Amino acid sequence: QVQLVESGGNLVQAGGSLRLSCAASGSIVSINTMAWYRQAPGKQRDLVASITRGGTTVYTDSVKGRFTISRDNVKNTVYLQMNSLKPEDTAVYYCNADVIATFSLLRDYWGQGTRVTVSS
């Protein structure tokens, strides 16, 4: 009923930039928080950044000052601008959204993940 479609993952050199996008579609009534998570090989999936519908943001310490999360509520899209990328940022990045769909309660939806590889 709700799908998250991601784009923007790529191979980039250290110090470079990428912009990830995630568009939600389907029988959407409302989207509360949208977020980006990442999972590096052999590690847990952890929150990178989140943004409420009103624009309040939260970042994990390791990306503060380098990454910026934003959203377009008309397009139901969340973005992650990643600057000054480091090899430690290499991971699969997952889009997440808390969505109320038609005839449904609030629940989490996940994108399929997009791979970001930062070379040194």
Side-chain angles (χ1 to χ4, degrees):
Q1 58 185 324
V2 175
Q3 298 82 38
L4 302 181
V5 180
E6 302 170 341
S7 63
N10 215 330
L11 172 67
V12 65
Q13 291 186 334
S17 298
L18 285 174
R19 185 176 177 86
L20 306 183
S21 300
C22 173
S25 62
S27 302
I28 297 170
V29 174
S30 181
I31 302 178
N32 187 18
T33 300
M34 304 185 81
W36 290 95
Y37 290 73
R38 67 186 180 187
Q39 187 169 24
K43 296 186 177 180
Q44 298 289 325
R45 185 178 300 186
D46 294 322
L47 177 71
V48 177
S50 66
I51 183 168
T52 67
R53 183 173 180 84
T56 300
T57 58
V58 173
Y59 297 91
T60 191
D61 286 344
S62 62
V63 308
K64 288 180 179 176
R66 300 188 298 120
F67 291 10
T68 302
I69 189 170
S70 61
R71 64 189 287 172
D72 185 331
N73 291 333
V74 174
K75 297 181 178 180
N76 288 330
T77 299
V78 63
Y79 306 93
L80 186 68
Q81 178 66 46
M82 304 185 293
N83 298 326
S84 301
L85 282 162
K86 304 175 180 179
E88 308 94 88
D89 297 317
T90 295
V92 177
Y93 284 71
Y94 296 90
C95 178
N96 174 270
D98 296 327
V99 181
I100 299 175
T102 52
F103 308 108
S104 298
L105 299 175
L106 180 72
R107 61 151 286 184
D108 260 12
Y109 290 87
W110 291 90
Q112 67 179 28
T114 184
R115 185 174 297 276
V116 172
T117 302
V118 184
S119 64
S120 60

